[in-house]
Amino acid sequence: MNNGSGVNTVLLVVVLLILVGGGVWWYKTYGPGTQKQESGLQINIGGSNQTGQ
């Protein structure tokens, strides 16, 4: 009766990989030690004051 165990295992591994990947992305983006971005829309008018790029 357990003929779908292979499919269930693959789905479980995929879900776990998505959760771990999402956690790593969140930690790198919003975790401790990251610079806090200012909220709101930042518009650069003129565009001539970008140095070093």
Side-chain angles (χ1 to χ4, degrees):
M1 271 180 59
N2 201 5
N3 55 4
S5 64
V7 174
N8 289 339
T9 304
V10 170
L11 287 175
L12 180 64
V13 169
V14 168
V15 169
L16 288 175
L17 285 175
I18 291 173
L19 287 174
V20 170
V24 169
W25 171 83
W26 179 89
Y27 186 82
K28 287 185 175 181
T29 306
Y30 300 109
T34 58
Q35 294 180 352
K36 303 299 179 191
Q37 295 181 352
E38 297 179 6
S39 61
L41 186 62
Q42 298 177 358
I43 301 174
N44 185 8
I45 300 176
S48 61
N49 58 356
Q50 294 180 354
T51 58
Q53 290 183 356

